[in-house]
Amino acid sequence: MRALIQTVSRASVTVDDEVVGKIEDGLLVLVGVTHSDTPATAATLARKVHELRILDDEASAADTGAPLLVVSQFTLYGDARKGRRPTWSAAAPAEVAEPLVTAFVAALRERGAVVQSGRFRAHMLVESVNVGPRTVWLEL
């Protein structure tokens, strides 16, 4: 699994003119899944994201209770090393990825995190206002 984490003053996800997830003063987490990922991978990534010391004064969401907005993002596994058209072959198919993104969100909630999320397989409009900006890439 891969995650791109950004500190945000606000972020939201809109699907068909409906806001399906929205946070303030927290973390926007874009999550990608590959073929070899498992529920254990999702739980480990959730722990790392929740405890990531990326907020002010080297605090984490676990320390501060900052909310997280999780958005599935298969394009994190895009590969454009050859040519200009990315290949998505490293991204897990939706049937594999969706339950693992769900497991990632569930693992965050089990840790006490306040989590909003996008909608899997939907055309999402993601808006965010980055703080810092601070962006971290995690890969397991």
Side-chain angles (χ1 to χ4, degrees), residues 51-111:
E51 295 176 358
L52 184 65
R53 298 172 62 137
I54 189 175
L55 299 169
D56 290 342
D57 301 320
E58 295 186 4
S60 68
D63 298 330
T64 65
L68 298 94
L69 176 58
V70 175
V71 179
S72 63
Q73 187 80 14
F74 77 92
T75 60
L76 290 179
Y77 277 98
D79 184 353
R81 289 179 288 181
K82 296 181 181 178
R84 297 171 294 166
R85 182 177 295 139
T87 178
W88 315 111
S89 61
E95 299 76 26
V96 173
E98 185 171 11
L100 291 174
V101 172
T102 300
F104 174 76
V105 169
L108 285 168
R109 288 183 175 141
E110 287 171 11
R111 300 181 60 74

Coordinates of all heavy atoms in Angstrom, one line a residue, residues 51-111:
E51 N 0.0 7.8 13.5 CA 1.0 8.2 14.5 C 2.1 9.0 13.8 O 3.1 9.4 14.4 CB 1.7 7.0 15.1 CG 0.7 6.2 16.0 CD 1.3 4.9 16.5 OE1 2.5 4.6 16.2 OE2 0.6 4.2 17.3
L52 N 1.9 9.4 12.5 CA 2.9 10.2 11.8 C 3.0 11.6 12.4 O 2.0 12.3 12.4 CB 2.5 10.3 10.3 CG 3.4 11.0 9.3 CD1 4.7 10.2 9.2 CD2 2.8 11.1 8.0
R53 N 4.2 12.0 12.7 CA 4.4 13.3 13.4 C 4.6 14.4 12.4 O 5.7 14.9 12.2 CB 5.6 13.1 14.4 CG 5.3 12.1 15.4 CD 6.5 11.8 16.3 NE 6.9 13.0 17.0 CZ 7.2 13.0 18.2 NH1 7.3 11.9 18.9 NH2 7.6 14.2 18.8
I54 N 3.5 14.7 11.7 CA 3.6 15.7 10.6 C 2.9 17.0 11.0 O 3.1 18.0 10.3 CB 3.0 15.1 9.3 CG1 3.2 16.0 8.1 CG2 1.5 14.8 9.5 CD1 2.7 15.4 6.8
L55 N 2.2 17.0 12.1 CA 1.4 18.3 12.5 C 2.3 19.2 13.2 O 3.5 18.9 13.5 CB 0.2 17.9 13.3 CG -0.8 17.0 12.6 CD1 -1.8 16.4 13.5 CD2 -1.5 17.8 11.4
D56 N 1.8 20.4 13.5 CA 2.6 21.4 14.3 C 3.2 20.8 15.5 O 2.7 19.9 16.2 CB 1.7 22.5 14.7 CG 1.3 23.4 13.5 OD1 1.9 23.3 12.4 OD2 0.3 24.2 13.7
D57 N 4.4 21.2 15.9 CA 5.2 20.8 17.0 C 5.4 19.3 17.0 O 5.5 18.6 18.1 CB 4.5 21.2 18.3 CG 4.3 22.7 18.5 OD1 5.2 23.4 18.1 OD2 3.2 23.1 18.9
E58 N 5.6 18.7 15.8 CA 5.9 17.3 15.6 C 4.8 16.4 16.3 O 5.1 15.3 16.8 CB 7.3 16.9 16.1 CG 8.4 17.6 15.4 CD 9.8 17.1 15.8 OE1 9.9 16.2 16.6 OE2 10.7 17.7 15.2
A59 N 3.6 16.8 16.2 CA 2.5 16.0 16.8 C 1.9 15.2 15.7 O 2.1 15.4 14.5 CB 1.4 17.0 17.4
S60 N 1.1 14.2 16.1 CA 0.4 13.3 15.2 C -1.1 13.4 15.3 O -1.6 14.0 16.3 CB 0.8 11.8 15.4 OG 0.3 11.4 16.7
A61 N -1.8 12.8 14.4 CA -3.3 12.8 14.6 C -3.7 12.1 15.8 O -4.6 12.4 16.5 CB -3.9 12.2 13.3
A62 N -2.9 11.0 16.2 CA -3.1 10.3 17.4 C -3.0 11.2 18.6 O -3.7 11.0 19.6 CB -2.2 9.1 17.5
D63 N -2.0 12.1 18.6 CA -1.8 13.0 19.7 C -2.9 14.0 19.8 O -3.3 14.4 20.9 CB -0.4 13.7 19.5 CG 0.8 12.8 19.5 OD1 0.7 11.8 20.2 OD2 1.8 13.2 18.9
T64 N -3.3 14.6 18.7 CA -4.1 15.8 18.7 C -5.6 15.5 18.5 O -6.5 16.4 18.7 CB -3.7 16.8 17.6 OG1 -3.9 16.2 16.3 CG2 -2.2 17.2 17.8
G65 N -5.9 14.3 17.9 CA -7.3 14.0 17.5 C -7.7 14.7 16.2 O -8.9 14.8 15.9
A66 N -6.7 15.1 15.4 CA -7.0 15.7 14.1 C -7.7 14.7 13.3 O -7.3 13.5 13.2 CB -5.6 16.1 13.5
P67 N -8.7 15.1 12.5 CA -9.4 14.2 11.6 C -8.7 13.9 10.4 O -7.7 14.6 10.0 CB -10.7 15.0 11.3 CG -10.2 16.5 11.4 CD -9.2 16.5 12.5
L68 N -9.1 12.8 9.7 CA -8.5 12.3 8.5 C -9.5 12.2 7.4 O -10.6 11.7 7.7 CB -7.8 11.0 8.7 CG -6.6 11.0 9.7 CD1 -7.1 10.6 11.1 CD2 -5.5 10.1 9.2
L69 N -9.2 12.6 6.2 CA -10.1 12.4 5.1 C -9.3 11.4 4.2 O -8.3 11.7 3.6 CB -10.4 13.7 4.3 CG -11.2 13.5 3.0 CD1 -12.5 12.9 3.3 CD2 -11.3 14.9 2.4
V70 N -9.9 10.2 4.0 CA -9.2 9.1 3.2 C -9.9 9.0 1.9 O -11.1 8.9 1.8 CB -9.3 7.8 4.0 CG1 -8.7 6.6 3.1 CG2 -8.6 7.9 5.3
V71 N -9.0 9.0 0.8 CA -9.5 9.0 -0.5 C -8.8 7.9 -1.3 O -7.5 7.9 -1.3 CB -9.4 10.3 -1.3 CG1 -9.9 10.2 -2.7 CG2 -10.1 11.4 -0.5
S72 N -9.5 6.9 -1.8 CA -8.8 5.9 -2.6 C -8.2 6.5 -3.9 O -8.8 7.3 -4.5 CB -9.7 4.7 -2.9 OG -10.8 5.2 -3.7
Q73 N -7.0 6.0 -4.2 CA -6.3 6.7 -5.3 C -5.4 5.6 -6.1 O -4.3 5.5 -5.8 CB -5.4 7.8 -4.8 CG -4.8 8.7 -5.8 CD -5.7 9.7 -6.4 OE1 -6.8 9.9 -5.8 NE2 -5.3 10.3 -7.4
F74 N -6.1 4.9 -7.0 CA -5.3 3.8 -7.7 C -4.1 4.4 -8.5 O -3.1 3.8 -8.7 CB -6.2 3.0 -8.6 CG -6.6 3.6 -9.9 CD1 -5.8 3.4 -11.0 CD2 -7.7 4.4 -9.9 CE1 -6.2 4.0 -12.2 CE2 -8.1 5.0 -11.1 CZ -7.3 4.8 -12.3
T75 N -4.2 5.7 -8.8 CA -3.2 6.3 -9.6 C -1.9 6.5 -8.9 O -0.8 6.7 -9.5 CB -3.6 7.7 -10.2 OG1 -3.9 8.5 -9.1 CG2 -4.8 7.5 -11.1
L76 N -1.8 6.2 -7.6 CA -0.6 6.2 -6.9 C 0.3 5.1 -7.3 O 1.5 5.2 -7.1 CB -0.8 6.1 -5.4 CG -1.4 7.3 -4.7 CD1 -1.6 7.0 -3.2 CD2 -0.6 8.6 -4.9
Y77 N -0.2 4.1 -8.0 CA 0.6 3.0 -8.6 C 0.8 3.2 -10.1 O 1.1 2.2 -10.7 CB -0.1 1.7 -8.2 CG 0.3 1.2 -6.9 CD1 -0.5 1.4 -5.8 CD2 1.6 0.7 -6.6 CE1 -0.1 1.0 -4.5 CE2 2.0 0.3 -5.4 CZ 1.1 0.4 -4.3 OH 1.5 0.1 -3.0
G78 N 0.5 4.4 -10.6 CA 0.8 4.6 -12.0 C 2.3 4.6 -12.3 O 3.1 5.0 -11.4
D79 N 2.7 4.1 -13.4 CA 4.1 4.0 -13.8 C 4.3 4.7 -15.2 O 3.8 4.1 -16.2 CB 4.6 2.6 -13.8 CG 6.1 2.4 -14.1 OD1 6.7 3.4 -14.4 OD2 6.6 1.3 -14.0
A80 N 5.0 5.8 -15.2 CA 5.2 6.5 -16.5 C 6.6 6.5 -16.9 O 7.1 7.4 -17.6 CB 4.6 7.9 -16.4
R81 N 7.4 5.5 -16.4 CA 8.9 5.5 -16.8 C 9.1 5.3 -18.2 O 10.1 5.8 -18.8 CB 9.6 4.5 -15.9 CG 9.7 4.8 -14.5 CD 10.4 3.8 -13.7 NE 9.4 2.6 -13.6 CZ 9.7 1.5 -12.9 NH1 10.8 1.3 -12.3 NH2 8.8 0.6 -12.9
K82 N 8.2 4.6 -18.9 CA 8.4 4.4 -20.3 C 7.3 5.2 -21.1 O 6.1 4.9 -20.9 CB 8.2 2.9 -20.7 CG 9.3 2.0 -20.0 CD 9.1 0.6 -20.4 CE 10.1 -0.3 -19.8 NZ 9.9 -1.7 -20.1
G83 N 7.7 6.2 -21.8 CA 6.7 6.9 -22.6 C 6.0 7.9 -21.7 O 6.3 8.3 -20.6
R84 N 4.8 8.4 -22.3 CA 4.0 9.4 -21.7 C 2.7 8.9 -21.2 O 1.9 9.7 -20.5 CB 3.8 10.6 -22.6 CG 5.1 11.2 -23.0 CD 4.9 12.2 -24.2 NE 4.5 11.4 -25.3 CZ 4.0 11.9 -26.4 NH1 3.7 13.2 -26.5 NH2 3.6 11.1 -27.4
R85 N 2.4 7.7 -21.4 CA 1.1 7.1 -21.0 C 1.4 6.2 -19.8 O 2.0 5.1 -20.0 CB 0.4 6.4 -22.1 CG -0.9 5.8 -21.7 CD -1.6 5.1 -22.9 NE -1.9 6.1 -23.9 CZ -1.8 5.8 -25.2 NH1 -1.4 4.6 -25.7 NH2 -2.1 6.7 -26.1
P86 N 0.9 6.5 -18.6 CA 1.1 5.7 -17.5 C 0.4 4.3 -17.6 O -0.6 4.2 -18.2 CB 0.5 6.4 -16.3 CG 0.3 7.8 -16.8 CD 0.1 7.7 -18.3
T87 N 1.1 3.3 -17.0 CA 0.4 2.0 -16.9 C -0.1 1.9 -15.5 O 0.6 2.4 -14.6 CB 1.4 0.9 -17.3 OG1 0.7 -0.4 -17.1 CG2 2.6 0.9 -16.4
W88 N -1.2 1.2 -15.3 CA -1.7 1.0 -14.0 C -1.6 -0.4 -13.5 O -2.3 -0.8 -12.6 CB -3.2 1.5 -14.0 CG -3.4 2.8 -14.6 CD1 -4.1 3.0 -15.8 CD2 -3.0 4.1 -14.2 NE1 -4.1 4.3 -16.2 CE2 -3.4 5.0 -15.2 CE3 -2.2 4.5 -13.2 CZ2 -3.1 6.4 -15.1 CZ3 -2.0 5.9 -13.1 CH2 -2.4 6.8 -14.0
S89 N -0.8 -1.2 -14.1 CA -0.7 -2.6 -13.9 C -0.3 -2.9 -12.4 O -0.7 -4.0 -11.9 CB 0.2 -3.3 -14.8 OG 1.6 -2.8 -14.7
A90 N 0.4 -2.1 -11.7 CA 0.8 -2.3 -10.3 C -0.4 -2.1 -9.4 O -0.4 -2.5 -8.2 CB 2.0 -1.5 -9.9
A91 N -1.4 -1.4 -9.8 CA -2.6 -1.1 -9.0 C -3.5 -2.3 -8.9 O -3.7 -3.0 -9.9 CB -3.4 0.1 -9.5
A92 N -3.9 -2.6 -7.7 CA -4.8 -3.8 -7.5 C -6.2 -3.5 -8.2 O -6.6 -2.3 -8.2 CB -5.0 -4.1 -6.0
P93 N -6.8 -4.5 -8.7 CA -8.2 -4.3 -9.3 C -9.1 -3.8 -8.2 O -8.9 -4.1 -7.0 CB -8.6 -5.6 -9.9 CG -7.7 -6.6 -9.2 CD -6.4 -5.9 -8.8
A94 N -10.2 -3.2 -8.6 CA -11.2 -2.6 -7.6 C -11.7 -3.7 -6.6 O -11.9 -3.4 -5.5 CB -12.3 -2.0 -8.4
E95 N -11.9 -4.9 -7.1 CA -12.4 -5.9 -6.3 C -11.5 -6.3 -5.1 O -11.9 -6.7 -4.1 CB -12.7 -7.2 -7.1 CG -13.7 -7.0 -8.2 CD -13.2 -6.3 -9.4 OE1 -11.9 -6.3 -9.7 OE2 -14.0 -5.7 -10.1
V96 N -10.2 -6.1 -5.3 CA -9.2 -6.3 -4.3 C -8.9 -5.1 -3.5 O -8.8 -5.1 -2.3 CB -7.8 -6.8 -5.0 CG1 -6.7 -6.9 -3.9 CG2 -8.0 -8.1 -5.7
A97 N -8.9 -3.9 -4.1 CA -8.6 -2.7 -3.5 C -9.6 -2.2 -2.5 O -9.3 -1.7 -1.4 CB -8.2 -1.6 -4.5
E98 N -10.9 -2.3 -2.9 CA -12.0 -1.7 -2.1 C -12.0 -2.3 -0.7 O -12.1 -1.5 0.3 CB -13.3 -1.8 -2.8 CG -14.4 -1.2 -2.1 CD -15.7 -1.1 -2.9 OE1 -15.9 -1.8 -3.9 OE2 -16.6 -0.4 -2.4
P99 N -12.0 -3.6 -0.5 CA -12.0 -4.1 0.9 C -10.8 -3.7 1.7 O -10.9 -3.5 2.9 CB -12.1 -5.6 0.7 CG -12.2 -5.9 -0.7 CD -12.0 -4.7 -1.5
L100 N -9.7 -3.5 1.0 CA -8.5 -3.1 1.7 C -8.5 -1.6 2.1 O -8.0 -1.2 3.2 CB -7.2 -3.4 0.9 CG -7.0 -4.9 0.8 CD1 -5.8 -5.2 -0.1 CD2 -6.7 -5.5 2.2
V101 N -9.0 -0.8 1.3 CA -9.2 0.6 1.7 C -10.2 0.7 2.8 O -10.0 1.5 3.8 CB -9.7 1.5 0.5 CG1 -10.1 2.9 0.9 CG2 -8.6 1.6 -0.6
T102 N -11.3 -0.1 2.8 CA -12.3 -0.2 3.8 C -11.6 -0.6 5.1 O -11.9 -0.1 6.2 CB -13.4 -1.1 3.4 OG1 -14.0 -0.5 2.3 CG2 -14.5 -1.2 4.6
A103 N -10.7 -1.6 5.0 CA -10.0 -2.1 6.2 C -9.1 -1.1 6.8 O -8.9 -0.9 8.0 CB -9.2 -3.4 5.8
F104 N -8.4 -0.3 5.9 CA -7.6 0.8 6.3 C -8.4 1.9 7.1 O -8.0 2.2 8.2 CB -6.9 1.5 5.1 CG -6.2 2.7 5.4 CD1 -4.9 2.6 5.9 CD2 -6.7 4.0 5.0 CE1 -4.2 3.8 6.2 CE2 -5.9 5.1 5.3 CZ -4.7 5.0 5.9
V105 N -9.5 2.2 6.6 CA -10.4 3.2 7.3 C -10.9 2.6 8.7 O -10.9 3.3 9.7 CB -11.6 3.6 6.4 CG1 -12.7 4.4 7.3 CG2 -11.1 4.4 5.3
A106 N -11.3 1.3 8.6 CA -11.7 0.7 9.9 C -10.6 0.6 10.9 O -10.8 0.8 12.1 CB -12.2 -0.7 9.6
A107 N -9.4 0.3 10.5 CA -8.2 0.3 11.4 C -8.0 1.6 12.0 O -7.6 1.7 13.2 CB -7.0 -0.3 10.7
L108 N -8.1 2.7 11.2 CA -8.0 4.1 11.8 C -9.0 4.3 12.8 O -8.7 4.8 13.9 CB -8.1 5.1 10.7 CG -6.9 5.3 9.8 CD1 -7.2 6.1 8.5 CD2 -5.7 5.9 10.5
R109 N -10.2 4.0 12.5 CA -11.3 4.2 13.5 C -11.2 3.4 14.8 O -11.5 3.8 15.9 CB -12.7 3.9 12.8 CG -13.0 5.0 11.8 CD -14.4 4.7 11.2 NE -14.7 5.9 10.3 CZ -15.3 5.7 9.2 NH1 -15.7 4.5 8.7 NH2 -15.6 6.8 8.4
E110 N -10.6 2.1 14.6 CA -10.4 1.3 15.8 C -9.3 1.9 16.7 O -9.3 1.7 17.9 CB -9.9 -0.1 15.4 CG -11.0 -1.0 14.8 CD -10.5 -2.2 14.2 OE1 -9.3 -2.6 14.3 OE2 -11.3 -2.9 13.5
R111 N -8.5 2.7 16.1 CA -7.4 3.4 16.9 C -8.0 4.7 17.5 O -7.3 5.4 18.2 CB -6.3 3.8 16.0 CG -5.6 2.5 15.4 CD -4.4 2.9 14.5 NE -3.4 3.6 15.3 CZ -2.5 3.0 16.1 NH1 -2.6 1.7 16.3 NH2 -1.6 3.8 16.8

